[in-house]
Amino acid sequence: MKIPTLFTSLFLLALNTSSAFAADLDRAQIEQLLSTATKEKPADLRRKDLRGVDLSGLDFRHADLWGADLRKADFSNSNLSGLVLDLTVMTGINLSGADLSNSSVFGVSLVKANLSKANLRGSRFIAVMDGANLKGADLREANWGADMKNQPMGLMRANLKGADLTGANLAGANLSRAMLRLAKLNGANLQNANLMVADMAGADLAGADLSGADLSEAKLLDADFSQANLAGTKFHGIKDKGELRGLENSKNLDQALFD
């Protein structure tokens, strides 16, 4: 299902706003702002244009980055834990090794972003992350599923088409209705993950641990389950096992739950 026009327009709104009103700041200026920031008086980086700035290793927990333009900025190993990053522009951003635990990212483009080994535990993402690098990322208990009680603009969800989640830890994560078409999930930990109604067509799940995961009603055409652990995996609503590749080479297939 295509992203609603209104959802896409949120990206354009954030981009146009930052372009029109942003002030350019370099690393030294931002470090100065952060040095005097407190929880009560956070560093004002709201709607600022920070494109391409090296901000690696900095602590942004007392900063307001709402609506900022962060395209191709380097936030590697930085601390953004608990921040509200809604309507920021993050295309091509480097967040490798960054701490984004319990953060909120809504209406954001993270296309081809680098989130490898990032701490995303407990985060809430509704964003376009097609082609993003999430190798080895920690998404335990992350809530990236669609909120079906709040869909006035159509289906708004995590879009991870072609994303690389090789070796990522998604234990207990909610990715219900997420777009994971052609995603790389080989060797990933998906224990007890909620993948109900997710679009996982063509996804690579070879060697993944799917024990206790719920894939009920998911789209799994040509998804590869070779050597995947399927102990207690729920496949309710999957009418044709033949559309799943590698089942004959999976582990604990006899413990998987099909209708």
Side-chain angles (χ1 to χ4, degrees):
M1 183 173 183
K2 294 183 178 179
I3 304 170
T5 301
L6 188 52
F7 187 22
T8 304
S9 69
L10 293 177
F11 303 148
L12 299 177
L13 175 61
L15 177 58
N16 292 335
T17 302
S18 62
S19 298
F21 301 105
D24 293 325
L25 297 171
D26 60 22
R27 181 184 175 99
Q29 290 172 312
I30 293 171
E31 286 182 318
Q32 178 60 35
L33 288 172
L34 293 174
S35 68
T36 59
T38 64
K39 183 177 180 180
E40 293 72 25
K41 293 184 178 180
D44 185 9
L45 300 172
R46 194 177 180 88
R47 296 195 179 99
K48 294 296 187 289
D49 186 343
L50 305 179
R51 285 176 292 177
V53 180
D54 179 5
L55 300 168
S56 57
L58 298 183
D59 189 343
F60 287 91
R61 286 176 296 173
H62 294 155
D64 182 357
L65 285 159
W66 188 94
D69 189 344
L70 309 177
R71 285 176 290 173
K72 296 186 178 180
D74 185 357
F75 282 84
S76 58
N77 300 308
S78 58
N79 193 338
L80 299 124
S81 178
L83 290 190
V84 176
L85 298 166
D86 298 349
L87 297 183
T88 53
V89 186
M90 296 186 182
T91 304
I93 194 174
N94 182 3
L95 288 160
S96 60
D99 187 349
L100 288 144
S101 57
N102 301 308
S103 61
S104 171
V105 174
F106 178 87
V108 171
S109 173
L110 280 154
V111 173
K112 296 183 178 180
N114 185 355
L115 290 147
S116 59
K117 297 183 179 180
N119 180 4
L120 297 156
R121 189 168 184 174
S123 60
R124 173 60 171 157
F125 276 38
I126 298 294
V128 179
M129 293 168 275
D130 296 349
N133 178 2
L134 288 135
K135 288 182 179 179
D138 184 354
L139 284 89
R140 285 174 292 172
E141 292 90 40
N143 183 12
W144 291 18
D147 181 1
M148 298 312 295
K149 295 180 180 179
N150 185 26
Q151 295 290 338
M153 296 180 287
L155 185 60
M156 300 177 73
R157 58 182 177 176
N159 286 265
L160 291 149
K161 184 176 181 180
D164 191 344
L165 291 128
T166 301
N169 190 346
L170 298 102
N174 175 19
L175 287 160
S176 61
R177 299 182 185 270
M179 165 58 76
L180 288 157
R181 186 181 291 264
L182 301 175
K184 297 177 182 178
L185 289 151
N186 43 306
N189 181 359
L190 290 151
Q191 292 181 355
N192 301 310
N194 180 359
L195 293 158
M196 294 178 64
V197 203
D199 187 344
M200 304 177 72
D204 182 359
L205 291 147
D209 186 350
L210 288 150
S211 54
D214 194 344
L215 281 74
S216 299
E217 305 291 342
K219 297 179 181 179
L220 300 172
L221 179 65
D222 288 331
D224 187 359
F225 291 88
S226 301
Q227 299 303 313
N229 182 3
L230 302 180
T233 307
K234 300 179 181 68
F235 289 98
H236 300 308
I238 308 301
K239 298 179 181 179
D240 184 6
K241 293 182 184 180
E243 68 180 18
L244 283 62
R245 293 192 293 120
L247 276 186
E248 68 280 4
N249 297 317
S250 63
K251 301 175 182 178
N252 300 311
L253 179 60
D254 60 322
Q255 299 176 36
L257 305 174
F258 290 88
D259 289 338

